[in-house]
């Protein structure tokens, strides 16, 4: 296909990747509608991409060269054991061939790679989307409608939802598909790695490792990421929600990054004091309150990922619990699949059908794996302190259940 108008709803990682992909594949006009007016690069959360996925995504053009990344090579699983010292006791170590990224730096690299012909409009909130026809002709009645917050309506040949958990495009395509609360929460934070000097000893004792602190009812992963001002220590802690209704758990977008309430800060401090090896408790406690936040964990499998001139990418298509470290790679794979389908297809109908067959199945597989990992690492944790290397390896294989590993699968040729 050549030509056609495309609206991409959402301008973060998935949105920038999709806009670049369809523009390069031959779309006539591409418009990105991003509701945020401020700087998206202010989001300072870390993420990882498997080395093999990164090679494939760079080859496809979805992952630009030159974006700062930190190499990781192993994953250490530790438990608190005061007899073993402040760092805890190592119960298992496994290969972990990933690179870590700073969300803002990754987004900035993707944003800078968007072709100049793409119109990127910030401060454009989309309130509703309507698929007015599924015909493959270019007639006005077969174009999707996008309604903006100001009341105006714009029409496009294809509308791509890259608008995350609360996707208005998903609501139009499959209204019954909504995120479901997993029953636990995720605490996140990041801190200047140089501050580890305050703990004594090495400034960064395990720079090539993800350290997983294990405790009854949860886990916490700690790893290094690049940052705008130098290396940072990023951490993600999964545990049961705080008691006494301190969090509203009905809305996956309830808790943006920001300062914690005193009650939530006290709950986190008590959890670290009770369960963590002293070194890791002190390391996490260095995090500034403004860089610490908590969010409920959700997941979702959309009933459809494409149809009626609407298409879903990234978290709009499937919300995957973070345990299998696949979110960013999956979003870039979605963009790659859309571009490949565009080049192969003779009509929008063929494009949408092919995309749904390929990416719908990929999303369902990731959601299923993340649910198994969440049950094993948070909801039904083993007796960590009694585990040894052989027991951990067998436990890990059981959670994978035949999957080759975490980080996502290679795309089909």
């Amino acid at each position: 296909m050549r030509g056609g108008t495309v609206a991409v709803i959402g301008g973060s990682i998935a949105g920038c990747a999709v806009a670049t992909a369809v523009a390069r594949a031959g779309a006539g006009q591409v418009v990105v509608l991003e509701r945020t007016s401020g700087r998206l690069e202010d989001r300072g959360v870390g993420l990882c991409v498997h080395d093999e996925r990164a090679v494939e995504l760079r080859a496809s053009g979805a992952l630009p060269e030159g974006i700062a990344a930190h190499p990781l090579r192993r994953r250490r699983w530790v438990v608190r054991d005061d007899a073993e010292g402040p760092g805890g006791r190592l119960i298992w170590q496994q290969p972990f061939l990933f690179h870590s990224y700073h969300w803002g730096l990754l987004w900035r690299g993707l944003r800078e790679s968007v072709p100049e012909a793409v119109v990127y409009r910030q401060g454009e909130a989309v309130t509703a989307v309507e698929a007015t026809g599924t015909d493959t002709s270019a007639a006005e009645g077969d174009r999707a409608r996008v309604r903006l917050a100001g009341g105006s309506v714009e029409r496009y040949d294809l509308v791509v939802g890259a608008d995350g958990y609360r996707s208005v495009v998903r609501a139009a395509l499959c209204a019954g598909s909504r995120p479901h609360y997993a029953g636990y929460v995720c605490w996140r934070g990041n801190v200047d790695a140089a501050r580890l000097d305050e703990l004594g000893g090495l400034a960064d004792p395990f720079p090539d490792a993800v350290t997983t602190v294990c405790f009854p009812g949860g886990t916490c992963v700690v790893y290094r990421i690049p940052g705008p001002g130098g290396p940072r220590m990023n951490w993600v802690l999964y545990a049961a929600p705080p008691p006494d209704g301190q969090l509203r758990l009905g809305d996956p977008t309830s808790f943006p990054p920001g300062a914690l309430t005193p009650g939530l800060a006290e709950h986190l401090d008590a959890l670290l004091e009770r369960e963590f090896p002293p070194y890791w408790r002190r390391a996490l406690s260095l995090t500034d309150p403004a860089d610490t936040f908590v969010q409920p964990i959700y997941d979702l499998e959309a009933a459809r990922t494409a149809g009626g001139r609407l298409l879903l990418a990234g978290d709009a298509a499937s919300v995957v619990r973070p345990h299998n470290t696949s979110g960013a790679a999956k979003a870039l794979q979605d963009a790659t699949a859309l571009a490949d389908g565009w080049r192969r297809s003779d009509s929008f109908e063929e494009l949408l059908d092919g995309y749904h067959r390929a990416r719908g199945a990929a999303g369902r597989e990731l959601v299923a794996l993340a649910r198994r990992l969440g049950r094993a690492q948070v909801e039904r944790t083993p007796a960590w302190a009694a585990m040894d290397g052989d027991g951990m390896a067998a436990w890990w294989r059981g959670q994978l259940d035949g999957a080759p590993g975490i980080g996502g699968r290679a795309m089909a040729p």
Side-chain angles (χ1 to χ4, degrees), residues 35 79 113 212 303 322:
R35 64 182 178 85
V79 295
S113 295
T212 302

Side-chain angles (χ1 to χ4, degrees), residues 7-369:
V8 180
I9 314 302
S12 61
I13 287 176
C16 287
V18 166
T20 297
V22 295
R24 291 174 176 171
Q29 179 187 21
V30 181
V31 176
V32 177
L33 302 174
E34 166 54 45
R35 64 182 178 85
T36 303
S37 298
R39 297 187 304 167
L40 275 72
E41 64 265 33
D42 287 341
R43 303 176 187 177
V45 176
L47 57 91
C48 298
V49 177
H50 194 284
D51 286 1
E52 291 180 358
R53 302 292 80 71
V55 169
E56 297 161 357
L57 292 167
R58 280 194 291 268
S60 74
L63 181 61
E65 298 282 355
I67 300 175
H70 178 76
L72 299 167
R73 290 294 171 263
R74 56 194 174 120
R75 184 173 185 179
R76 308 171 63 253
W77 299 72
V78 303
V79 295
R80 180 171 180 170
D81 186 337
D82 294 341
E84 293 288 332
R89 174 164 55 87
L90 180 69
I91 57 174
W92 191 41
Q93 185 164 265
Q94 64 182 144
F96 192 86
L97 302 180
F98 284 73
H99 275 68
S100 64
Y101 293 83
H102 182 284
W103 192 100
L105 296 181
L106 177 60
W107 174 80
R108 188 181 305 167
L110 292 167
R111 176 69 184 91
E112 291 172 353
S113 295
V114 174
E116 291 186 4
V118 172
V119 179
Y120 189 102
R121 290 158 48 187
Q122 285 197 258
E124 292 279 19
V126 175
T127 59
V129 173
E130 179 185 359
T132 56
T134 58
D135 224 295
T136 58
S137 70
E140 184 69 19
D142 298 321
R143 306 177 83 197
R145 297 180 180 181
V146 174
R147 184 174 297 277
L148 301 175
S152 61
V153 175
E154 299 178 356
R155 294 169 174 82
Y156 297 90
D157 294 314
L158 178 67
V159 174
V160 179
D163 46 347
Y165 283 33
R166 199 171 50 177
S167 171
V168 296
V169 184
R170 184 177 64 238
L173 180 61
C174 42
S177 297
R178 294 179 56 82
H180 299 285
Y181 174 50
Y184 55 95
V185 301
C186 168
W187 303 80
R188 291 181 180 267
N190 66 96
V191 63
D192 184 350
R195 293 202 61 195
L196 296 175
D197 284 338
E198 300 173 22
L199 306 180
L202 296 176
D204 190 347
F206 306 105
D208 68 338
V210 171
T211 295
T212 302
V213 178
C214 307
F215 57 92
T219 49
C220 177
V221 293
V222 187
Y223 57 94
R224 181 172 170 169
I225 62 172
R232 300 188 70 80
M233 182 192 75
N234 186 77
W235 56 270
V236 186
L237 191 163
Y238 303 97
D244 305 324
Q246 293 186 62
L247 299 179
R248 290 183 11 255
L249 301 172
D251 180 359
T253 60
S254 294
F255 310 104
L260 300 179
T261 65
L264 290 173
E266 290 175 6
H267 176 84
L268 177 59
D269 288 344
L271 173 62
L272 297 179
E273 178 69 30
R274 183 176 67 251
E275 304 290 1
F276 274 50
Y279 176 87
W280 297 108
R281 173 184 59 78
R282 294 171 60 203
L284 268 61
S285 297
L286 295 172
T287 310
D288 190 280
D291 292 323
T292 307
F293 64 98
V294 57
Q295 62 186 118
I297 293 296
Y298 291 79
D299 57 26
L300 169 141
E301 297 175 71
R304 285 199 62 80
T305 56
R309 299 297 178 92
L310 305 179
L311 183 146
L312 305 176
D315 286 346
S318 56
V319 178
V320 181
R321 304 183 198 186
H323 305 290
N324 50 356
T325 320
S326 60
K330 191 263 185 187
L332 299 182
Q333 285 184 330
D334 288 348
T336 300
L338 178 56
D340 290 344
W342 191 291
R343 296 184 181 98
R344 290 195 300 262
S345 300
D346 295 322
S347 67
F348 282 105
E349 183 178 39
E350 183 181 348
L351 169 66
L352 295 170
D353 286 347
Y355 180 89
H356 173 67
R357 286 195 302 273
R359 302 313 295 163
R364 289 190 297 273
E365 180 181 81
L366 291 174
V367 169
L369 174 57

